[in-house]
Short mmCIF file of all heavy atoms in Angstrom, two decimals:
data_model
loop_
_atom_site.label_atom_id
_atom_site.label_comp_id
_atom_site.label_asym_id
_atom_site.label_seq_id
_atom_site.Cartn_x
_atom_site.Cartn_y
_atom_site.Cartn_z
N ILE A 321 -23.34 36.27 -3.76
CA ILE A 321 -22.61 37.53 -3.60
C ILE A 321 -23.42 38.67 -4.22
O ILE A 321 -23.59 39.74 -3.64
CB ILE A 321 -21.21 37.44 -4.27
CG1 ILE A 321 -20.37 36.37 -3.57
CG2 ILE A 321 -20.51 38.79 -4.26
CD1 ILE A 321 -19.06 36.03 -4.29
N TYR A 322 -23.96 38.41 -5.43
CA TYR A 322 -24.79 39.42 -6.13
C TYR A 322 -25.95 39.85 -5.24
O TYR A 322 -26.22 41.04 -5.08
CB TYR A 322 -25.30 38.81 -7.44
CG TYR A 322 -26.31 39.65 -8.18
CD1 TYR A 322 -25.91 40.60 -9.11
CD2 TYR A 322 -27.68 39.51 -7.94
CE1 TYR A 322 -26.83 41.38 -9.79
CE2 TYR A 322 -28.60 40.28 -8.60
CZ TYR A 322 -28.18 41.22 -9.53
OH TYR A 322 -29.11 41.99 -10.18
N ASP A 323 -26.64 38.88 -4.66
CA ASP A 323 -27.82 39.18 -3.84
C ASP A 323 -27.44 40.05 -2.64
O ASP A 323 -28.15 40.98 -2.29
CB ASP A 323 -28.48 37.89 -3.34
CG ASP A 323 -29.27 37.20 -4.45
OD1 ASP A 323 -29.60 37.88 -5.45
OD2 ASP A 323 -29.52 35.98 -4.34
N ARG A 324 -26.29 39.75 -2.05
CA ARG A 324 -25.91 40.51 -0.86
C ARG A 324 -25.53 41.95 -1.19
O ARG A 324 -25.79 42.86 -0.40
CB ARG A 324 -24.76 39.80 -0.13
CG ARG A 324 -24.21 40.64 1.00
CD ARG A 324 -23.70 39.83 2.15
NE ARG A 324 -22.82 40.64 2.97
CZ ARG A 324 -21.92 40.17 3.79
NH1 ARG A 324 -21.78 38.87 3.93
NH2 ARG A 324 -21.16 40.97 4.50
N PHE A 325 -24.89 42.17 -2.36
CA PHE A 325 -24.40 43.52 -2.68
C PHE A 325 -25.17 44.16 -3.83
O PHE A 325 -24.68 45.08 -4.48
CB PHE A 325 -22.90 43.46 -3.00
CG PHE A 325 -22.07 42.99 -1.84
CD1 PHE A 325 -21.59 41.69 -1.80
CD2 PHE A 325 -21.80 43.84 -0.78
CE1 PHE A 325 -20.84 41.24 -0.71
CE2 PHE A 325 -21.05 43.41 0.31
CZ PHE A 325 -20.56 42.10 0.35
N GLU A 326 -26.38 43.68 -4.05
CA GLU A 326 -27.18 44.16 -5.17
C GLU A 326 -27.37 45.67 -5.13
O GLU A 326 -27.35 46.34 -6.16
CB GLU A 326 -28.54 43.45 -5.15
CG GLU A 326 -29.28 43.58 -6.45
CD GLU A 326 -30.63 42.88 -6.42
OE1 GLU A 326 -30.89 42.12 -5.47
OE2 GLU A 326 -31.41 43.11 -7.37
N ASP A 327 -27.53 46.23 -3.94
CA ASP A 327 -27.83 47.66 -3.85
C ASP A 327 -26.59 48.52 -3.66
O ASP A 327 -26.69 49.70 -3.35
CB ASP A 327 -28.81 47.90 -2.68
CG ASP A 327 -30.12 47.17 -2.93
OD1 ASP A 327 -30.52 47.09 -4.11
OD2 ASP A 327 -30.71 46.66 -1.97
N GLU A 328 -25.44 47.93 -3.83
CA GLU A 328 -24.18 48.65 -3.64
C GLU A 328 -23.71 49.18 -4.99
O GLU A 328 -23.24 48.41 -5.83
CB GLU A 328 -23.15 47.65 -3.07
CG GLU A 328 -21.96 48.23 -2.40
CD GLU A 328 -22.29 49.16 -1.26
OE1 GLU A 328 -22.82 48.70 -0.21
OE2 GLU A 328 -22.00 50.34 -1.42
N PRO A 329 -23.86 50.51 -5.26
CA PRO A 329 -23.60 51.01 -6.62
C PRO A 329 -22.15 50.84 -7.06
O PRO A 329 -21.89 50.77 -8.26
CB PRO A 329 -23.97 52.49 -6.53
CG PRO A 329 -23.98 52.81 -5.08
CD PRO A 329 -24.32 51.56 -4.35
N ARG A 330 -21.21 50.75 -6.14
CA ARG A 330 -19.81 50.67 -6.55
C ARG A 330 -19.29 49.23 -6.58
O ARG A 330 -18.10 48.99 -6.56
CB ARG A 330 -18.94 51.53 -5.65
CG ARG A 330 -19.26 53.02 -5.85
CD ARG A 330 -18.31 53.91 -5.13
NE ARG A 330 -16.97 53.89 -5.71
CZ ARG A 330 -15.94 54.56 -5.18
NH1 ARG A 330 -16.12 55.25 -4.08
NH2 ARG A 330 -14.75 54.50 -5.74
N PHE A 331 -20.21 48.29 -6.62
CA PHE A 331 -19.81 46.89 -6.69
C PHE A 331 -20.34 46.24 -7.97
O PHE A 331 -21.53 46.37 -8.29
CB PHE A 331 -20.33 46.13 -5.46
CG PHE A 331 -19.97 44.68 -5.49
CD1 PHE A 331 -18.68 44.27 -5.20
CD2 PHE A 331 -20.91 43.71 -5.83
CE1 PHE A 331 -18.33 42.92 -5.26
CE2 PHE A 331 -20.57 42.37 -5.87
CZ PHE A 331 -19.28 41.98 -5.59
N LYS A 332 -19.46 45.53 -8.71
CA LYS A 332 -19.87 44.85 -9.95
C LYS A 332 -19.34 43.41 -9.97
O LYS A 332 -18.48 43.05 -9.14
CB LYS A 332 -19.30 45.58 -11.17
CG LYS A 332 -19.59 47.06 -11.22
CD LYS A 332 -20.85 47.36 -11.98
CE LYS A 332 -21.10 48.86 -12.04
NZ LYS A 332 -22.41 49.20 -12.58
N LEU A 333 -19.84 42.65 -10.91
CA LEU A 333 -19.35 41.27 -11.10
C LEU A 333 -19.03 41.06 -12.58
O LEU A 333 -19.76 41.56 -13.44
CB LEU A 333 -20.41 40.24 -10.67
CG LEU A 333 -20.97 40.33 -9.24
CD1 LEU A 333 -22.24 41.17 -9.22
CD2 LEU A 333 -21.28 38.96 -8.69
N ILE A 334 -17.95 40.34 -12.86
CA ILE A 334 -17.65 39.96 -14.25
C ILE A 334 -17.46 38.45 -14.32
O ILE A 334 -16.63 37.89 -13.60
CB ILE A 334 -16.34 40.59 -14.79
CG1 ILE A 334 -16.30 42.11 -14.60
CG2 ILE A 334 -16.18 40.26 -16.28
CD1 ILE A 334 -15.03 42.76 -15.16
N SER A 335 -18.26 37.79 -15.16
CA SER A 335 -18.04 36.37 -15.45
C SER A 335 -17.48 36.28 -16.85
O SER A 335 -18.14 36.69 -17.81
CB SER A 335 -19.35 35.59 -15.35
OG SER A 335 -19.74 35.48 -14.00
N HIS A 336 -16.26 35.74 -16.98
CA HIS A 336 -15.61 35.64 -18.29
C HIS A 336 -15.87 34.27 -18.88
O HIS A 336 -15.61 33.27 -18.22
CB HIS A 336 -14.10 35.80 -18.16
CG HIS A 336 -13.66 37.06 -17.47
ND1 HIS A 336 -13.67 37.20 -16.10
CD2 HIS A 336 -13.18 38.22 -17.97
CE1 HIS A 336 -13.21 38.41 -15.79
NE2 HIS A 336 -12.92 39.05 -16.90
N THR A 337 -16.32 34.21 -20.12
CA THR A 337 -16.45 32.90 -20.73
C THR A 337 -15.10 32.43 -21.28
O THR A 337 -14.38 33.18 -21.93
CB THR A 337 -17.52 32.84 -21.85
OG1 THR A 337 -17.46 31.53 -22.43
CG2 THR A 337 -17.28 33.88 -22.94
N LEU A 338 -14.80 31.17 -21.00
CA LEU A 338 -13.57 30.54 -21.50
C LEU A 338 -13.80 29.93 -22.87
O LEU A 338 -12.89 29.39 -23.47
CB LEU A 338 -13.12 29.44 -20.53
CG LEU A 338 -12.57 29.90 -19.18
CD1 LEU A 338 -12.51 28.73 -18.21
CD2 LEU A 338 -11.19 30.50 -19.36
N ASP A 339 -15.04 29.97 -23.33
CA ASP A 339 -15.43 29.26 -24.55
C ASP A 339 -16.13 30.21 -25.53
O ASP A 339 -17.31 30.04 -25.84
CB ASP A 339 -16.38 28.12 -24.13
CG ASP A 339 -16.72 27.20 -25.29
OD1 ASP A 339 -16.08 27.31 -26.36
OD2 ASP A 339 -17.64 26.38 -25.12
N PRO A 340 -15.39 31.23 -26.02
CA PRO A 340 -16.03 32.24 -26.87
C PRO A 340 -16.62 31.65 -28.16
O PRO A 340 -17.54 32.21 -28.73
CB PRO A 340 -14.90 33.23 -27.19
CG PRO A 340 -13.64 32.52 -26.89
CD PRO A 340 -13.96 31.52 -25.81
N LYS A 341 -16.10 30.49 -28.58
CA LYS A 341 -16.61 29.89 -29.81
C LYS A 341 -18.09 29.54 -29.66
O LYS A 341 -18.91 29.86 -30.49
CB LYS A 341 -15.79 28.63 -30.12
CG LYS A 341 -15.63 28.38 -31.61
CD LYS A 341 -14.87 27.10 -31.88
CE LYS A 341 -13.40 27.35 -32.14
NZ LYS A 341 -12.65 26.09 -32.29
N ARG A 342 -18.42 28.86 -28.56
CA ARG A 342 -19.81 28.45 -28.36
C ARG A 342 -20.64 29.52 -27.63
O ARG A 342 -21.83 29.67 -27.88
CB ARG A 342 -19.87 27.14 -27.57
CG ARG A 342 -19.55 25.94 -28.43
CD ARG A 342 -19.60 24.66 -27.64
NE ARG A 342 -18.44 24.49 -26.77
CZ ARG A 342 -18.23 23.42 -26.01
NH1 ARG A 342 -19.11 22.44 -25.99
NH2 ARG A 342 -17.14 23.32 -25.27
N ASP A 343 -19.99 30.25 -26.72
CA ASP A 343 -20.74 31.25 -25.93
C ASP A 343 -20.77 32.59 -26.66
O ASP A 343 -20.00 33.50 -26.36
CB ASP A 343 -20.11 31.41 -24.55
CG ASP A 343 -20.22 30.13 -23.73
OD1 ASP A 343 -20.88 29.19 -24.21
OD2 ASP A 343 -19.64 30.08 -22.64
N THR A 344 -21.68 32.71 -27.59
CA THR A 344 -21.84 33.97 -28.32
C THR A 344 -22.47 35.00 -27.40
O THR A 344 -23.00 34.67 -26.34
CB THR A 344 -22.76 33.75 -29.53
OG1 THR A 344 -24.01 33.26 -29.02
CG2 THR A 344 -22.18 32.73 -30.49
N ILE A 345 -22.42 36.26 -27.84
CA ILE A 345 -23.02 37.35 -27.06
C ILE A 345 -24.50 37.04 -26.81
O ILE A 345 -25.01 37.21 -25.70
CB ILE A 345 -22.87 38.70 -27.80
CG1 ILE A 345 -21.38 39.10 -27.85
CG2 ILE A 345 -23.70 39.80 -27.16
CD1 ILE A 345 -20.76 39.39 -26.51
N GLN A 346 -25.15 36.53 -27.83
CA GLN A 346 -26.58 36.22 -27.72
C GLN A 346 -26.83 35.14 -26.65
O GLN A 346 -27.75 35.25 -25.83
CB GLN A 346 -27.06 35.72 -29.07
CG GLN A 346 -28.56 35.80 -29.24
CD GLN A 346 -28.98 35.25 -30.59
OE1 GLN A 346 -28.14 34.82 -31.40
NE2 GLN A 346 -30.26 35.25 -30.84
#
Side-chain angles (χ1 to χ4, degrees):
Chain A
I321 296 171
Y322 172 89
D323 285 340
R324 173 148 161 201
F325 298 103
E326 196 180 349
D327 298 325
E328 199 57 67
R330 293 188 69 184
F331 179 75
K332 308 268 181 189
L333 304 93
I334 308 181
S335 288
H336 304 80
T337 175
L338 289 165
D339 187 11
K341 213 182 263 175
R342 282 180 285 183
D343 296 353
T344 58
I345 293 295
Q346 199 182 359

